[in-house]
Amino acid sequence: MTKKLLGKVALVTGGSRGIGAASARALAHEGANVAISYVASPDKAEAVVRELKASGVEARAFKADQASSVEVEQLVNDVARHFGRLDILVNNAGVAVGGAVDDVNADTAALARQDAINVHGVVTAIRTASKLMGEGGRIVTIGSGIATRASFPGMADYAATKAAIVGYSKGASRDLGPAASP
């Protein structure tokens, strides 16, 4: 079997569990060296790293809070420095905070953190990684169908963050992708 990503370096934010860990495994299966980030689960992150290394690739976990643009920028730069390059960014880290828009007891700090992680963390990661990636670099942002349909009450704020990254990703692809043919 040909490993399509042999020699490439990927960063998966929020890679210690769920979709992030599955993405990291898939990238490693294709031969990429993989960095994952985590914020609160070092044991889970190290377990994923051991699994990735067992598949024959280099892997490392980095602690970074996606709500902090400073930490996200540092994360991306540290990954590129450690591995010598960055070819693939998977923006996976995210949180979901529910609650009705008219809830007088809404946890506004949690809503602000959700926005910081789901929107501003993605923006910072893309802006930083795009300066480091060479020709053929890839950026993938994990979204949600809720971006286009709030399927049940209490999801307006979360839906707004996911809709924002859809729009940002479309704009970034125009800025960073190949120029349109004449």
Side-chain angles (χ1 to χ4, degrees):
M1 170 175 27
T2 304
K3 298 210 176 234
K4 298 175 189 174
L5 300 177
L6 197 60
K8 301 291 185 185
V9 173
L11 165 58
V12 180
T13 66
S16 66
R17 60 190 177 89
I19 294 170
S23 298
R25 289 182 195 104
L27 290 160
H29 180 75
E30 290 297 330
N33 294 320
V34 181
I36 63 170
S37 73
Y38 69 95
V39 71
S41 304
D43 295 339
K44 289 180 183 178
E46 287 305 324
V48 172
V49 166
R50 283 191 300 276
E51 185 180 343
L52 299 176
K53 286 181 175 180
S55 72
V57 303
E58 185 180 348
R60 182 169 170 198
F62 293 81
K63 183 175 183 181
D65 185 349
Q66 289 296 123
S68 167
S69 59
V70 171
E71 288 188 36
V72 173
E73 185 174 355
Q74 187 68 48
L75 165 68
V76 174
N77 287 319
D78 285 350
V79 168
R81 191 171 14 266
H82 175 79
F83 288 93
R85 62 188 295 156
L86 179 62
D87 303 290
I88 302 163
L89 168 65
V90 179
N91 287 303
N92 170 71
V95 296
V97 178
V101 298
D102 60 351
D103 180 0
V104 297
N105 297 313
D107 184 346
T108 56
L111 292 170
R113 181 166 172 74
Q114 175 180 252
D115 187 60
I117 293 168
N118 293 4
V119 180
H120 302 288
V122 170
V123 170
T124 300
I126 290 173
R127 286 181 174 275
T128 306
S130 67
K131 296 171 191 163
L132 302 172
M133 291 180 167
E135 188 68 30
R138 297 290 187 258
I139 298 172
V140 176
T141 298
I142 306 298
S144 171
I146 289 176
T148 58
R149 65 184 190 303
S151 305
F152 46 89
M155 295 307 296
D157 292 289
Y158 177 73
T161 67
K162 292 303 180 175
I165 63 166
V166 168
Y168 189 85
S169 296
K170 287 179 180 182
S173 71
R174 289 291 209 166
D175 291 348
L176 302 172
S181 300

